[in-house]
Amino acid sequence: CFITSFKNTDEYNSTSVMVLPRVWYFRNFAEAFKLADMGRAFINSAVVLLFVLGGSIIIGSQLAYVLNRFKFPGNTLIRRLFLFATLLPGIAMQVAVYEIMGRLGFINHLYGYIIMQMGTDVISIYIFIQFMENISSSLDESAIIDGASYHTIYWRIILPLLKPAVVTSMILKGVSTYNEYYCAGLYLQSLNIRTVAISLYTFTGPMGSQYNLICAGVLISLFPSLVIFLLCQKQIYTGITAGAVKG
């Protein structure tokens, strides 16, 4: 991919993918960025990631808080239903999901795609439940004695202690959301709301694909992830390690 991204179209068609380019064609990156409108795509992806990660963490941790701290009829059933949902392939349910999205007017709207993505993160719920089982309920009891409400307990005590779980969940959800192609291509049909994952579809067509520009676009799309990893690798390693131990 790296070698191909520096070749022009003629050289790509006439040489092996492992042959170094005779002339390093740096213009591919500028053309890929411009023709695929990757600037707008990065903004769309950033907006999606911001709301999806925030919503998934709040929804997942609150569901885990209810299922872990409150014993009520149906608690076990709900947990099993979440587990059953993970066994169903997402693509097999897209006919029903597409029908629901269409009736709600969510197709071809960025907010509709964001709402759909926030509601498909069962793994994070189990990650939060596993972490929460290691948080003593005596903290809740002490806070209740001091007059704290369940809402205050969640925001002031539980959520700050879930920081390793939050990091783990953000890694898993962030990677899957940033790379998500199928649903993004299905529900985001307008050119101005495309994400990075589907912006590279610009260089494919019935007459062939411009793989040199596709590879250049792939390297451009990898750059933000690489920067985030280098800046936050300590938190990432801590979150993954803690998640492995708790799990």
Side-chain angles (χ1 to χ4, degrees):
C1 183
F2 178 81
I3 293 174
T4 301
S5 66
F6 287 97
K7 293 182 177 181
N8 58 33
T9 302
D10 294 335
E11 189 173 3
Y12 169 76
N13 292 330
S14 60
T15 60
S16 169
V17 293
M18 295 305 296
V19 175
L20 293 176
R22 292 187 295 271
V23 178
W24 294 81
Y25 207 67
F26 288 91
R27 190 182 302 174
N28 284 341
F29 293 91
E31 291 183 4
F33 191 88
K34 180 180 179 180
L35 295 177
D37 198 9
M38 295 190 71
R40 183 183 294 274
F42 275 121
I43 294 175
N44 292 335
S45 291
V47 171
V48 170
L49 280 173
L50 178 64
F51 285 98
V52 168
L53 291 181
S56 298
I57 290 170
I58 298 301
I59 294 172
S61 59
Q62 288 183 349
L63 279 171
Y65 177 59
V66 172
L67 293 175
N68 179 259
R69 288 299 198 252
F70 301 96
K71 306 303 178 183
F72 54 89
N75 186 304
T76 303
L77 176 62
I78 293 175
R79 293 194 186 204
R80 290 177 179 174
L81 288 175
F82 278 127
L83 180 61
F84 178 73
T86 62
L87 303 178
L88 298 175
I91 194 171
M93 298 183 289
Q94 283 306 315
V95 174
V97 174
Y98 192 89
E99 179 71 16
I100 295 172
M101 293 280 285
R103 290 179 179 271
L104 294 175
F106 284 172
I107 296 177
N108 211 25
H109 293 288
L110 204 60
Y111 62 82
Y113 177 71
I114 290 172
I115 293 173
M116 186 197 69
Q117 286 294 104
M118 284 195 298
T120 57
D121 196 17
V122 179
I123 301 301
S124 292
I125 296 174
Y126 278 98
I127 292 175
F128 286 124
I129 289 177
Q130 291 174 355
F131 269 83
M132 210 166 292
E133 288 176 350
N134 293 275
I135 300 176
S136 176
S137 58
S138 61
L139 295 175
D140 302 36
E141 297 169 357
S142 300
I144 291 174
I145 292 174
D146 290 337
S149 63
Y150 291 120
H151 183 271
T152 303
I153 292 172
Y154 166 77
W155 286 106
R156 297 291 184 87
I157 298 176
I158 300 298
L159 190 58
L161 292 176
L162 289 177
K163 182 180 178 181
V166 169
V167 174
T168 304
S169 179
M170 289 181 66
I171 295 169
L172 297 176
K173 188 66 175 179
V175 170
S176 63
T177 301
Y178 186 71
N179 293 326
E180 210 285 319
Y181 174 81
Y182 179 78
C183 290
L186 187 62
Y187 297 110
L188 302 178
Q189 300 167 2
S190 297
L191 296 178
N192 61 333
I193 58 173
R194 294 186 303 179
T195 59
V196 173
I198 59 176
S199 65
L200 300 180
Y201 192 71
T202 304
F203 307 115
T204 64
M207 303 303 294
S209 301
Q210 299 172 279
Y211 285 104
N212 54 334
L213 296 181
I214 291 176
C215 290
V218 168
L219 294 183
I220 294 174
S221 67
L222 287 175
F223 183 74
S225 302
L226 180 62
V227 172
I228 292 174
F229 173 76
L230 293 177
L231 294 177
C232 307
Q233 56 183 318
K234 180 179 179 181
Q235 290 78 7
I236 292 174
Y237 286 137
T238 302
I240 293 177
T241 304
V245 173
K246 300 294 182 181

